[in-house]
Every structure is written in C-alpha cells, then in structure tokens.
Amino acid sequence: MTERTNLLGLDLQGLEGFFVELGEKPFRARQLLQWIHKYRIVDFAEMTNLSKVLREKLENVAEIRLPEVMHEHISVDGTRKWIIKLSCGNAIETVYIPEGGRGTLCVSSQVGCALTCTFCSTGQQGFNRNLDAAEIIAQLWIANQALDKDPKGNRVVTNVVMMGMGEPLANYANVITAMNLMRDDFGYGISWRRLTLSTSGMVPMIDKLREDCHVSLAISLHAANDKLRDEIIPLNKKYPIAELLAACKRYVVGQQRRHITVEYVMLEGINDSMTDAKDLVRILKDLPTKINLIPFNPFPGTSYKCSSRNKIVRFQQYLIDQGLVATIRKTRGDDIVAACGQLAGDVQDKTRRTERLAQQEVVFHQ
Ligand code: SAH
Ligand code: SF4
C-alpha cells in the first residue's frame, strides 16, 4: 500500500497542488486549511462542506497525522511545556509563555542542533535530524488545542518565536512551509510582526528569507568581537560579525518600521564587561535594533555562569544611555526547565553525527 499524504504539513500552495493532482478544484485547499488549522478537525468525515465522494477519496489517499504528546508540564508562572514524541523515537520540546495579553509559543525546528554553540544545551546534545513541516506546525496545533481545552482557558497563542531546539535556517524549506501556515489567514493568521525567526547567523539564508517569507528577524549575537564569537558560536568562523550585520542591514532595507532583535546572552566574565558594552554600541550604531539581554540559563555539565543582576542592569543602562533600545529577558518556567537554551528533548541516535554534520555543511555552503 502506498503511504498516505499527511496534509498537516502542506501550506496553501502545497494543498492546491495536491488537489489539482487529485483532479479537484484548487479552492478545496482553503477549505482544508480551515478544517485542519482553525477548527482542528482531523477526521475527513467531519468536514461537512466537502461532498461524501470527496471525503471518501481523501480517506484513501491522505491523512492528518499528529505526533504524540508525551508530557505536558505547567509552571507556577503559567508557562507550559510539551514534550512531543516523534516517530523516530526522539522527542522535542515546545514552550508557551503567557504575558499580559499575549501568549508566545517557542517552536522547535530540529531534533538537536549541529551548530555546537558552547552555552546551549541543545547544541551540546548534537544533531539528529530536521523536523518536517508537519512536525513543526503540529507544535502550534497542539498548543492551541491544549489551551482551548483548559477550563480556565482564556489563553491563545498570539505570537510565535522560532527559538526552540535547532537552527531554523538550517532546515529552510520545512520552516518556510510551516511559517506560511502560521501566517495564512486560512491557517493561523499570525502577522509577520508577531512571528519571529531567530538565527545564529546563517548569512546566505538570511538573504533568502528576505526574498521568500516576510517575518521578524532575531540574531543571536552574544559577542561584540570575532575572537570571542568564534569561540562561543563556531558558525562565526564562516560568517563573521561584519557579514552578519551587513545581511541584517539588507534585511531591513525598505521596511521602515522593521528592526532586528539582537539577542545577547549574559555570561559572567566572558562577554559582560563595559568594554563589551562599548564594542556592542559601536558595531550596532547603523542598524535599527532592539537588544534583548538574556540571563544565561545553566544546564547540567556547563561551566558558564550567569552574570550578576547588577552587572546585567549596568550593561543595559549603558546601552540605553548610548541611545540603544535594550531590555532584559524575563526568565520563565524555571521550575519546569523551560527557559531559553535549556530545551534538550530526547535526542537519540547520534552515532552518525559526523556524517550528518557533513551533510549540514553542504546546506551552509548553498
Ligand atoms: N538556533 C537559533 C534559535 C534557537 S536558540 C539561534 O541560535 O538563534 C534561541 C535563543 O536562546 C538564542 O538566542 C540562543 O543563543 C539562546 N540560548 C541558547 N542557550 C542559552 C542558554 N543556556 N541561556 C540563555 N539563552 C540561551
Ligand atoms: Fe543551535 Fe541556536 Fe543552540 Fe547555537 S544557540 S547550538 S544555533 S540552537
């Protein structure tokens, strides 16, 4: 028996193609998008605006298959974390952070990450594989479903950040398909202002993103000079700071209201001196940015420590005094290990890691 197509991971264009191939009208794609993503109906029999004949046809060739939720953890501060089991036996993590009127979902794009940033738990786990588009969008589907079912439930996902496990630009095609679904009015209707992709700096893919999909961009800078950035983010050796910032400038050209979010993790004694702050002001002076200082979140086996609160506040004040916009990220979900950089999931089968890394290298070169 041939495998049935999982419609969960098809965006409007993909679904239109699917229906045309089936000998149906492309407008069916919009109906399907609404059933799957707006109403979260996964049984074709319940899709009442499709004819019985079409529903039966769909049952034979397609399915809407979601991965299984292994655990849901709810923090005292309202943060939630879902551990989602994938068919290959690995698990990924998705985190929901409510704050005021907004609810932000932090979505994973890979099982592990190949980029080995020294301060990141995901990077230290190694890389297993890319998530497919269905596995990426499933995280938003699952979060909305759980929030809807909550009896206290006045919560929804209003914002998405591609800041969970993995480097989203290293899984480009699947991430774009999933973000198309997030933005589509027949899907989740999230505007580009509320959808942010964070990258450690894959320069050629930033340029491609600018062409392909309009979203907000965040970069993980974390160091204001190449010597230090080379050490903590190995990808910097390939795409140094000047090239990364030039790509950011190209990204904002012609988009008057757009700024780049600059993430800067505060590591005690590593990147938190006043010289670092001065260097940061100097290198960011020509770019519209909002700097987000992230207190380092420790994980088992790390020797890094988070800078003291005083030091972080002093660092922030200096940036503000120099005319930059700088905020300190609140650490949330401490009691359920859901903070930035702590997402570890369950990354198995790393035996072929070197080989897989070589494959990723091919992607970086494109
Ligand atoms: N791969 C992408 C997105 C995922 S990481 C990227 O690197 O941008 C999301 C953010 O968490 C990044 O800014 C990352 O540098 C930061 N981060 C990683 N480990 C961290 C830790 N232990 N404490 C605080 N922030 C961390
Ligand atoms: Fe990968 Fe981002 Fe972690 Fe670096 S910080 S290892 S790019 S997930």
Side-chain angles (χ1 to χ4, degrees), residues 113 115-117 119-120 122-123 164-167 200:
C113 182
L115 295 184
T116 63
C117 301
F119 51 84
C120 172
T122 308
M165 298 168 66
E167 165 53 53
S200 54

Side-chain angles (χ1 to χ4, degrees), residues 212-228:
D212 293 344
C213 190
H214 192 170
V215 293
S216 302
L217 183 68
I219 57 161
S220 295
L221 191 60
H222 304 325
N225 66 75
D226 281 320
K227 185 166 176 290
L228 177 59

Side-chain angles (χ1 to χ4, degrees), residues 136-280:
I136 299 171
I137 203 66
Q139 298 170 61
L140 182 48
W141 194 103
I142 286 167
N144 275 339
Q145 179 83 340
L147 293 167
D148 243 13
K149 285 206 166 142
D150 187 337
K152 285 188 241 136
N154 48 4
R155 290 281 178 194
V156 283
V157 174
T158 58
N159 295 54
V160 172
V161 290
M162 298 300 302
M163 291 186 188
M165 298 168 66
E167 165 53 53
L169 292 185
N171 182 14
Y172 191 78
N174 292 322
V175 165
I176 294 290
T177 302
M179 292 198 308
N180 285 343
L181 283 167
M182 292 172 192
R183 293 184 45 213
D184 199 312
D185 285 337
F186 291 92
Y188 296 86
I190 295 174
S191 88
W192 65 267
R193 283 190 187 78
R194 293 169 176 269
L195 173 54
T196 304
L197 180 143
S198 172
T199 178
S200 54
M202 294 185 62
V203 166
M205 303 320 259
I206 294 176
D207 285 323
K208 207 163 152 37
L209 182 70
R210 192 188 67 213
E211 305 282 320
D212 293 344
C213 190
H214 192 170
V215 293
S216 302
L217 183 68
I219 57 161
S220 295
L221 191 60
H222 304 325
N225 66 75
D226 281 320
K227 185 166 176 290
L228 177 59
R229 199 164 188 271
D230 280 353
E231 263 171 47
I232 64 176
I233 304 180
L235 183 68
N236 193 66
K237 291 182 198 139
K238 185 165 260 152
Y239 305 119
I241 293 174
E243 282 184 35
L244 174 57
L245 296 180
C248 290
K249 269 185 208 157
R250 293 192 289 275
Y251 198 83
V252 292
V253 164
Q255 303 288 342
Q256 283 170 2
R257 281 189 303 275
R258 259 215 275 203
H259 63 268
I260 303 282
T261 300
V262 172
E263 295 160 281
Y264 195 94
V265 65
M266 298 299 294
L267 301 167
E268 187 186 72
I270 306 281
N271 65 355
D272 61 352
S273 71
M274 275 303 126
T275 313
D276 292 306
K278 278 181 194 153
D279 287 348
L280 199 55

